[in-house]
Amino acid sequence: MQSTPKKILITCLTFGSLSMALFTVSCKSEKSALVQNSENSAVAEASPEARIDSAKLLRMIREKNAEIAGYQPSAKRDFDLLHTELDLAFDWSNQAVIGRAKLKLTPYFYPQKELVLDAKDFEVGAIYLLNGEAQSKLNYRYDEKQLRIYLPELFNSKDTIQVEINYIAFPDRNSGSGSEAITDTKGLYFIDPLDTIPGKPTMIWTQGETEHNSKWFPTIDKPNERFTQLFKLTVPDSMVSISNGVLVKQEKLENGLRKDYWEMKLPHAPYLAAIAVGNFGKVEAKWKNIPLGYYVEKGFEKGAAMVFENTPEMIGLFEEKLGVDFPWPKYDQIVVRDFVSGAMENTTASIFMEELRLDEREAIDSEWDYIIAHELFHQWFGDLVTAESWANLTLNEAFA
Ligand SMILES: [Zn+2]
């Protein structure tokens, strides 16, 4: 009797929001009753006791649904964000990010007439739809968390659109307490921005995980999104900048400023985008043709060379264990001040807490290999592949 299990399957599937646990339990118990019946060839129909008590089942579903209200499904995808181009300058005295974002997107499946982006605590200026050289101004609504942009027509999944968003981001606004692992939610941090604290270096760094990168650029801030990027960073000429991918161009500007172009040609998740700006010294190393950079406050380069010295060997070991070569064009490790976690595996640009800033003598006793190995392994499990929703984040961490 093959039709009976099928019928039961349909009954179960009708309750779409039913948890897998209940799905399995209820289907299994009913099925076994019917299997029993089918084994007894004299019984053609299920006995009344074996029939599904739908009122009881509904009650169980309601109870189970209440129990699993905390379930975090993957984010619904209306648009696929293909490419993010940012042109950023920094207002150090107001701790603000002056930005222009050009986003390339395509409707993921259904035709779309509105584009919703995550953009937290911005002041939003003009938004345009770009079509080659032509641009048309777009209307939008903004509620301090999300930007709803009204498109002039319905676009379908064969269309690619480009929108330009002019904004100023204020990462300090509404910054709340974070999670146990990441203790704050500003996304972008100005450290001693006006150089008023003796002995403290001036720098900027970011922390995107989980959904904090939308504090400094508009995006679809979900882990099931992937984009390539070009970040143009206007920084003081005395400082260095570090970001994802490769530094492809540097442009001298007036007023002691410089514009750095960081290009990332391989797609990755929004939370893995990162920048760091400061007076860092750099130690260079290499694994095969992969350039490695260890960035630390000036004066600590010799210590950094020792703290991070096992990085090439670790990459070799992980390549061998995984059978997959290091997937990215370079790997930088940056030691910053006042970091909100231990370290973060931003693609090609891991950021570490200041405990890894050791001088040459202290570095003799450095025991930071475990955290260096952890962030490095995330470049495969965490960055090359990552969790579809935050509910699955334990996979990333367990692998690392
Ligand atoms: Zn981790």
Side-chain angles (χ1 to χ4, degrees):
M1 289 193 21
Q2 283 183 342
S3 65
T4 313
K6 230 186 236 167
K7 203 166 131 196
I8 285 200
L9 187 66
I10 289 160
T11 314
C12 288
L13 283 176
T14 334
F15 303 101
S17 57
L18 189 55
S19 80
M20 277 315 274
L22 178 62
F23 180 87
T24 317
V25 170
S26 57
C27 288
K28 248 192 200 156
S29 57
E30 295 300 342
K31 193 175 162 186
S32 62
L34 284 150
V35 168
Q36 264 176 14
N37 284 330
S38 71
E39 275 163 2
N40 181 350
S41 56
V43 184
E45 283 260 345
S47 65
E49 308 88 79
R51 285 200 194 114
I52 294 170
D53 178 345
S54 50
K56 190 179 161 194
L57 187 60
L58 260 175
R59 198 171 59 242
M60 282 170 69
I61 290 163
R62 283 202 196 100
E63 284 169 12
K64 213 67 200 171
N65 275 341
E67 228 178 276
I68 59 166
Y71 174 64
Q72 296 186 50
S74 303
K76 180 168 155 270
R77 304 189 67 190
D78 291 330
F79 272 93
D80 186 3
L81 177 50
L82 305 171
H83 184 72
T84 298
E85 185 182 313
L86 298 182
D87 202 331
L88 304 181
F90 304 96
D91 179 346
W92 296 79
S93 48
N94 290 308
Q95 303 188 33
V97 181
I98 302 152
R100 185 198 294 134
K102 288 181 186 173
L103 307 181
K104 210 175 271 177
L105 309 110
T106 180
Y108 188 71
F109 187 85
Y110 293 108
Q112 302 291 336
K113 220 189 157 186
E114 290 176 15
L115 166 63
V116 178
L117 298 170
D118 298 299
K120 300 180 188 115
D121 305 305
F122 288 13
E123 283 177 11
V124 183
I127 298 180
Y128 302 98
L129 182 69
L130 305 179
N131 191 353
E133 291 298 294
Q135 58 179 43
S136 53
K137 211 166 180 177
L138 298 176
N139 291 324
Y140 62 87
R141 260 173 194 277
Y142 182 52
D143 69 358
E144 313 288 313
K145 288 189 179 74
Q146 286 194 313
L147 193 52
R148 183 175 292 272
I149 302 169
Y150 300 103
L151 302 170
E153 58 188 284
L154 204 59
F155 289 101
N156 67 49
S157 61
K158 290 192 181 75
D159 298 317
T160 300
I161 61 164
Q162 200 180 8
V163 291
E164 177 187 310
I165 299 144
N166 294 278
Y167 66 97
I168 303 175
F170 296 88
D172 271 12
R173 284 186 193 167
N174 297 313
S175 67
S177 52
S179 60
E180 201 174 311
I182 303 147
T183 56
D184 200 275
T185 59
K186 284 185 200 171
L188 185 142
Y189 296 75
F190 286 88
I191 306 300
D192 194 11
L194 299 179
D195 197 16
T196 50
I197 307 167
K200 195 147 198 171
T202 297
M203 58 173 77
I204 289 172
W205 48 262
T206 61
Q207 170 53 42
E209 195 177 34
T210 50
E211 298 179 1
H212 310 317
N213 271 343
S214 46
K215 286 282 281 183
W216 57 282
F217 66 91
T219 191
I220 297 172
D221 211 347
K222 296 291 171 191
N224 59 349
E225 181 58 71
R226 300 283 183 280
F227 56 70
T228 54
Q229 66 192 47
L230 176 64
F231 286 3
K232 305 173 190 175
L233 310 174
T234 298
V235 299
D237 199 19
S238 58
M239 293 189 176
V240 297
S241 78
I242 305 119
S243 187
N244 317 99
V246 176
L247 181 64
V248 290
K249 190 174 150 186
Q250 291 188 301
E251 226 173 53
K252 272 238 161 109
L253 307 174
E254 285 175 1
N255 304 327
L257 296 172
R258 190 186 71 243
K259 196 184 272 201
D260 290 351
Y261 292 65
W262 286 92
E263 189 174 36
M264 175 81 172
K265 285 184 173 172
L266 297 167
H268 70 155
Y271 78 94
L272 296 167
I275 61 167
V277 179
N279 286 304
F280 297 107
K282 184 186 182 185
V283 178
E284 294 185 4
K286 222 170 177 97
W287 166 253
K288 292 180 182 168
N289 59 344
I290 307 288
L292 310 175
Y294 316 145
Y295 288 89
V296 71
E297 282 167 44
K298 282 192 174 136
F300 290 86
E301 292 93 335
K302 281 183 181 165
M306 293 161 76
V307 170
F308 293 102
E309 70 181 344
N310 294 324
T311 308
E313 194 183 336
M314 289 177 190
I315 300 178
L317 177 76
F318 294 157
E319 285 188 344
E320 193 190 310
K321 291 280 175 202
L322 290 165
V324 177
D325 284 352
F326 184 78
W328 312 103
K330 68 106 161 95
Y331 188 54
D332 288 329
Q333 298 174 97
I334 310 126
V335 181
V336 301
R337 288 283 191 110
D338 300 343
F339 197 51
V340 284
S341 185
M344 176 63 205
E345 68 271 21
N346 314 299
T347 314
T348 80
S350 289
I351 293 180
F352 293 82
M353 60 182 174
E354 66 204 56
E355 277 77 358
L356 278 79
R357 183 199 60 156
L358 303 178
D359 67 27
E360 205 180 346
R361 277 174 61 80
E362 291 167 331
I364 295 168
D365 299 321
S366 173
E367 289 177 347
W368 295 115
D369 272 351
Y370 78 92
I371 198 168
I372 294 166
H374 178 105
E375 306 312 328
L376 176 61
F377 197 80
H378 271 314
Q379 299 294 315
W380 284 267
F381 276 104
D383 296 4
L384 179 62
V385 293
T386 191
E388 190 177 295
S389 89
W390 298 119
N392 309 120
L393 191 60
T394 45
L395 285 175
N396 286 14
E397 296 311 324
F399 278 124

